[in-house]
Short mmCIF file of all heavy atoms in Angstrom, two decimals:
data_model
loop_
_atom_site.label_atom_id
_atom_site.label_comp_id
_atom_site.label_asym_id
_atom_site.label_seq_id
_atom_site.Cartn_x
_atom_site.Cartn_y
_atom_site.Cartn_z
N SER A 48 124.84 -108.44 -65.36
CA SER A 48 124.14 -108.17 -64.14
C SER A 48 125.02 -108.45 -62.91
O SER A 48 126.03 -109.14 -63.00
CB SER A 48 122.93 -109.18 -64.05
OG SER A 48 123.04 -110.03 -62.93
N CYS A 50 124.11 -109.73 -60.16
CA CYS A 50 123.51 -110.59 -59.34
C CYS A 50 124.47 -111.78 -58.97
O CYS A 50 125.23 -112.27 -59.81
CB CYS A 50 122.36 -111.26 -60.09
SG CYS A 50 121.53 -112.63 -59.20
N THR A 51 124.56 -112.04 -57.72
CA THR A 51 125.52 -113.08 -57.34
C THR A 51 124.96 -114.54 -57.35
O THR A 51 125.66 -115.53 -57.30
CB THR A 51 125.92 -112.93 -55.79
OG1 THR A 51 124.80 -112.60 -55.05
CG2 THR A 51 126.89 -111.58 -55.71
N TYR A 52 123.67 -114.52 -57.50
CA TYR A 52 123.07 -115.88 -57.57
C TYR A 52 122.41 -116.02 -58.93
O TYR A 52 121.39 -115.39 -59.27
CB TYR A 52 121.95 -115.96 -56.48
CG TYR A 52 121.05 -117.22 -56.48
CD1 TYR A 52 121.69 -118.46 -56.24
CD2 TYR A 52 119.74 -117.18 -56.75
CE1 TYR A 52 120.99 -119.58 -56.30
CE2 TYR A 52 119.00 -118.26 -56.80
CZ TYR A 52 119.64 -119.54 -56.61
OH TYR A 52 118.85 -120.67 -56.57
N TYR A 53 122.99 -116.74 -59.78
CA TYR A 53 122.65 -116.74 -61.20
C TYR A 53 121.37 -117.54 -61.53
O TYR A 53 120.89 -117.52 -62.60
CB TYR A 53 123.77 -117.25 -62.19
CG TYR A 53 124.89 -116.16 -62.21
CD1 TYR A 53 126.13 -116.33 -61.55
CD2 TYR A 53 124.70 -114.99 -62.85
CE1 TYR A 53 127.10 -115.43 -61.53
CE2 TYR A 53 125.73 -114.00 -62.94
CZ TYR A 53 126.83 -114.26 -62.29
OH TYR A 53 127.92 -113.27 -62.30
N CYS A 55 118.42 -116.88 -60.56
CA CYS A 55 117.26 -116.05 -60.54
C CYS A 55 116.55 -116.09 -62.00
O CYS A 55 117.30 -116.21 -63.02
CB CYS A 55 117.53 -114.57 -60.25
SG CYS A 55 118.01 -114.37 -58.64
ZN1 ZN B 1 119.18 -112.14 -58.48
#
Side-chain angles (χ1 to χ4, degrees):
S48 118
C50 176
T51 47
Y52 175 65
Y53 289 106
C55 292

